[in-house]
Amino acid sequence: MKRKDLILKLIGEMASYVLDEDPMRVVISLHQEEDGLHLAIIDDCKHSDEDIEQLEKTLNSRKRPELAAYYGAMTGHDLLGSSRLNLLGWQIKHSDVVRIGDGIKIDLWLGGERFDSRHFNIPEKEE
Amino acid sequence: MDIAGIGGALVNAALVGFTGLLLINLSGIEVSGPTFAAVLTMTGFGLFGKTPLNVLPIILGVYISARLIGKRMKDYLIIALFGTALGPLVSALAWELGLPVVPAVFAGLTGGIITGFFLPSIAVSMLHLHQGYNLYNMGLSCGFFGLFAAAFIIGFGHSWEGQLYWYTEPSILLMLLVPVFSTLLIFTGLIHGGKQSLKDLKAIQSIPGRLPSDFVDMASVSGALLNSGLIGLIGSAYIYFVGASFNGPVIGGLLTIMGFGAFGTHLKNSWPVVAGVIIATLLTGNSLNAPGPILAAIFCTTLAPLAGEFGIPVGLAAGFVHLLMVLQTGSWHGGMNLYNNGFAGGLTAALFVSVIQWYKTNKSEM
């Protein structure tokens, strides 16, 4: 898939998710590297701890190549109904969700096989 | 069963199912919701249309398509497994055109490979048409391709009409096959997950079911097995209640909806669609146990996500339209697409999705 198409799909699905909550402010930030990219989405809506836990679990779900290449085509495209972040979770390398102000910040990291995610300072998981 | 007898049909079904399992294993993919659904569907349709020989060329075609664009077989595994719905097209090209043996085998093999080659591109486009609200997307995709295949065959002067073989001999073995398997799944789920499996089963009932909803991931293995088993038991009870035959298509249908009990179908999102089919059957003067309506009542659960996402009235209406559609669509592709209900369901879902999207997009909020 062309990088531009992928980015458009990811932004579309994430925007659909955050706009479901009717936020007053949304910031979408894209940082591209040669072999990877970082997408950050910030909103100002209140989210429960359960919501955030579920969101992080969905975005960091196990990789499903048999579903990603086929059903992943619907990411950010077929938006009638609830947003489906699992479509997105299968296609990214890593995600973090943190509280920021009243809302949350969702960080998504993507990259090819040669992509070195350390350049983007993915936080180490605390044991 | 009407052609090869019960034993022959069961052995063929097992071989087709084993072919699917082997492909999953060779692709390095774990069995989960979609692959469980695919294997049970392949096994079920091994009772009425698929054979190991007519599915292999299609799988090979999907593999070639994947390699052409630099993907691996595992990326298109689901398309390859469900794409075998066009097995009868391979058989028709090989054995129904009146060709000598060698050209006949060549025609079947080439036709199957070409079919499989086209399926990934069609499958992805068809997804956008109904946005994941038709669980049997490969039914729609294969039906779409089947329209062209039928046009080509008929255009070159060959007549081809699907034939209906409907086994009606009562058999205790066939009657008990699905209920026993369903009970086994329920016990396995309960033993594996204990009380948690019941909680997961309850959680599954609140999932809309839109593609791709892998209940194994979204709930648990045990919850998915319980859901699958329950669907099998209730489906069998319905067949028994309306006095339909437990034959190849019916058992195949029950196995399919059990498979999708791990991938989108559950009792709460299914009943409105089934009720819609029953109402349409009665209002149109059809019999509930006739071949078309009984298969529609089973396979209409392809539209369960519409009820799961948009509510009971939409589910009822979708089921109603589905019955009327599915009684016509089989002749469009000459019976070459085994997932005729998936084809009709896809068209029905596309209609409902279009209207709902138009309404939601244009209705003024201010």
Side-chain angles (χ1 to χ4, degrees), chain B residues 84-309:
Chain B
T84 53
L86 282 166
L89 172 61
V90 177
S91 299
L93 289 171
W95 311 122
E96 304 280 343
L97 300 184
L99 298 170
V101 175
V102 174
V105 171
F106 181 74
L109 188 63
T110 310
I113 291 172
I114 292 171
T115 300
F117 181 82
F118 277 103
L119 286 182
S121 53
I122 297 171
V124 169
S125 290
M126 293 296 123
L127 273 178
H128 296 316
L129 201 61
H130 56 75
Q131 302 198 21
Y133 289 102
N134 174 42
L135 289 176
Y136 308 158
N137 181 57
M138 287 311 297
L140 177 61
S141 309
C142 291
F144 181 77
F145 186 85
L147 297 176
F148 293 90
F152 269 72
I153 291 176
I154 294 166
F156 279 96
H158 300 282
S159 62
W160 163 254
E161 287 178 19
Q163 290 168 307
L164 175 70
Y165 295 97
W166 194 255
Y167 188 78
T168 52
E169 295 296 317
S171 160
I172 293 292
L173 170 68
L174 297 180
M175 271 182 71
L176 292 180
L177 199 62
V178 173
V180 167
F181 182 45
S182 301
T183 309
L184 188 68
L185 290 183
I186 290 172
F187 273 114
T188 308
L190 286 171
I191 291 166
H192 184 265
K195 283 183 181 173
Q196 185 60 38
S197 62
L198 295 171
K199 288 180 185 168
D200 293 335
L201 175 67
K202 194 179 169 194
I204 285 172
Q205 308 305 309
S206 65
I207 299 172
R210 185 182 178 194
L211 281 175
S213 299
D214 185 348
F215 294 161
V216 173
D217 265 6
M218 299 169 93
S220 67
V221 173
S222 53
L225 289 177
L226 231 62
N227 187 51
S228 180
L230 270 179
I231 287 173
L233 280 183
I234 291 175
S236 300
Y238 176 78
I239 303 301
Y240 183 78
F241 179 73
V242 299
S245 306
F246 279 84
N247 54 23
V250 168
I251 293 173
L254 291 172
L255 288 175
T256 300
I257 59 172
M258 287 173 69
F260 276 84
F263 193 49
T265 305
H266 52 72
L267 298 177
K268 194 177 168 190
N269 68 3
S270 295
W271 78 261
V273 196
V274 177
V277 167
I278 292 171
I279 292 167
T281 303
L282 296 175
L283 286 181
T284 54
N286 282 297
S287 168
L288 286 173
N289 60 15
I294 196 70
L295 293 180
I298 297 170
F299 287 113
C300 71
T301 50
T302 184
L303 293 168
L306 279 175
E309 186 78 42

Side-chain angles (χ1 to χ4, degrees), chain A residues 62 64 70 78 80 82 84, chain B residues 32 133 137 210-211 217:
Chain A
R62 66 190 170 113
R64 305 292 300 272
Y70 174 23
D78 301 327
L80 178 66
S82 325
R84 293 168 296 169
Chain B
S32 59
Y133 289 102
N137 181 57
R210 185 182 178 194
L211 281 175
D217 265 6

Side-chain angles (χ1 to χ4, degrees), chain A residues 1 9 57 61-62 64-74 77-84 86-87 90, chain B residues 29-30 32 34 74-75 78-79 123-124 127-128 131-133 137-138 210-212 214 217 263 309-310 353:
Chain A
M1 190 186 295
K9 281 168 177 280
K57 185 181 163 194
S61 56
R62 66 190 170 113
R64 305 292 300 272
E66 80 278 24
L67 301 182
Y70 174 23
Y71 298 114
M74 288 191 283
H77 189 278
D78 301 327
L79 298 173
L80 178 66
S82 325
S83 51
R84 293 168 296 169
N86 54 347
L87 293 175
W90 300 325
Chain B
I29 296 293
E30 290 174 31
S32 59
K74 66 170 73 170
D75 294 320
I78 302 296
I79 295 173
V124 169
L127 273 178
H128 296 316
Q131 302 198 21
Y133 289 102
N137 181 57
M138 287 311 297
R210 185 182 178 194
L211 281 175
D214 185 348
D217 265 6
F263 193 49
E309 186 78 42
F310 303 113
V353 165

